[in-house]
Amino acid sequence: MGSDWVHQSSPRIDLRVGPRRSPDQAPVGVLEAMLNQISEENRRLTEMVRDMYTNYSALRRRLSYLASVAPCEKGSASPKRKRVDCDKHAASDGEHACKRSREDAMAKTSKVYVRTDPSDPSLVVMDGYQWRKYGQKVTRGNPFPRAYFRCSFAPSCPVKKKVQRSAEDKSLLVATYEGVHNHKRPSLDEVYTVMCASHINSSAPSIDPDVTRRPDVDRCLGEIESPKFDTALVEQMVATLTKDPNFTAAVAAAISERILRDSPA
DNA sequence: CGGCTTTGACCTGCGC
DNA sequence: GCGCAGGTCAAAGCCG
C-alpha cells in the first residue's frame, strides 16, 4: 500500500451534483465567510486523515517488525527445565541437537497479555485451544498463583502454557506459551476473527504485540497485508467518519464549496 | 464413568 | 550438602 492510499481508497463522490445556485442569492460577505470556514474545516479534515494514515503506517511498521524480529522472550521459559530437556536431547542426538533444541525452545516461546476483570480469580485465557490444567504454584515476587496448562486437544501436542496475574496490574493476565501446536486450531475462524478485530478496534481483550510471533497471528498479519484488509480498513474508517455529524457537515460544506467554485463567476 | 481441577508431594537445578 | 524456587506428578474429589 503506497502513500497515496487515502486517495486510492477514498470513496468516490461526484461533486458535480444538483442544480447550480446563483451566487448572488446570499450577500457576498456572508458567502466569503462561509467559504473561509469551510476551507478551514476542509484543511483540518485533510490533516486528520493524514495523521490517521501516518499513525496507521507507523503501527503497521511496528507490527511487521515485531513479527519479523528474532522472537526470544528473555527468561520467560524456564532455564532449569530447558536444561533437563536439553540433557535428554544430548543423550540421544548429541550436543548440536541440544543447542538447536534450546534455540528452538526459546524461539517458540511467546507472551500474551490479556486484560480481565480483576475480581475474577480464574486464570483462564480464551485463545481457542483446549487446555488441561496440571499444576498451580505461588511463585516468588508475585502474590498471585501461576497456573500450568498443557494442550489437551491432541494427546501428543507439546505446547504448554503458564498463566499468572500481573503483580503490577491485577487486571492483567500474563500467558506464556511454550512450543508449537502439532495440530490444527479448534474453532479457528472464531478466534481469528476476534484477534483480527483487535487490531482494528482496540476493545478488550488487549493482546500484547508479542502475540504476533504466534502462527495464528502470522496468518492474521498476512491478512493485514492483503488488499482485502485495506478495503475492510477503509470501510471501517468510512463507517466511523460518516457517523460523525461534524464529518457529515464538513462533507456537505466541501460539496457546496466545490459547487460554488465550479460555477461561473 | 470419564475428563477435568485441585493440591500436596516430589523432582531438579542452582546458589551459597 | 542444604535450602530455595520453579516445574511436574498423581491421588482425590468434583461434575456433567
Side-chain angles (χ1 to χ4, degrees), chain A residues 7-57:
Chain A
H7 305 292
Q8 284 178 353
S9 309
S10 295
R12 293 185 185 282
I13 303 169
D14 186 1
L15 297 176
R16 300 165 194 275
V17 291
R20 285 178 186 172
R21 226 178 13 169
S22 171
D24 52 6
Q25 278 176 339
V28 177
V30 174
L31 283 173
E32 274 180 355
M34 276 176 64
L35 205 60
N36 288 337
Q37 192 184 339
I38 289 161
S39 299
E40 180 63 21
E41 196 86 26
N42 204 12
R43 190 185 59 76
R44 279 204 352 250
L45 281 163
T46 308
E47 281 175 10
M48 274 173 62
V49 171
R50 194 184 301 131
D51 285 350
M52 279 172 70
Y53 178 63
T54 306
N55 291 339
Y56 168 71
S57 300

Side-chain angles (χ1 to χ4, degrees), chain A residues 59 63 74 101 122 125 127 129 154 165 167 169 186 211 229 238 245:
Chain A
L59 280 169
L63 199 59
K74 57 172 186 280
S101 78
S122 67
V125 175
D127 53 13
Y129 288 101
R165 203 167 283 280
D169 187 351
V211 78
F229 182 84
V238 168

Side-chain angles (χ1 to χ4, degrees), chain A residues 116-120 144 165-173:
Chain A
T116 62
D117 183 1
S119 59
D120 181 9
F144 304 104
R165 203 167 283 280
S166 169
E168 290 83 21
D169 187 351
K170 283 190 277 186
S171 66
L172 212 58
L173 282 180

Side-chain angles (χ1 to χ4, degrees), chain A residues 73-87 102 105-106 109 146 162 178:
Chain A
E73 194 64 44
K74 57 172 186 280
S76 59
S78 163
K80 292 174 184 177
R81 277 290 156 194
K82 287 294 167 280
R83 179 157 169 170
V84 176
D85 296 339
C86 171
D87 289 344
R102 188 187 305 190
M106 293 292 281
T109 302
R146 175 184 295 169
K162 289 180 281 187
E178 288 177 36

Side-chain angles (χ1 to χ4, degrees), chain A residues 127-130 153 184-193:
Chain A
D127 53 13
Y129 288 101
Q130 198 177 336
F153 188 74
K184 286 187 175 179
R185 148 177 262 151
S187 66
L188 178 64
D189 290 341
E190 192 182 323
V191 180
Y192 164 65
T193 305

Side-chain angles (χ1 to χ4, degrees), chain A residues 101-145:
Chain A
S101 78
R102 188 187 305 190
E103 282 167 1
D104 287 351
M106 293 292 281
K108 288 161 192 167
T109 302
S110 63
K111 252 184 187 176
V112 175
Y113 296 85
V114 180
R115 197 162 288 284
T116 62
D117 183 1
S119 59
D120 181 9
S122 67
L123 292 168
V124 177
V125 175
M126 302 300 287
D127 53 13
Y129 288 101
Q130 198 177 336
W131 299 95
R132 180 196 176 103
K133 189 176 179 181
Y134 66 90
Q136 182 166 313
K137 192 96 174 172
V138 175
T139 57
R140 206 174 166 221
N142 192 331
F144 304 104

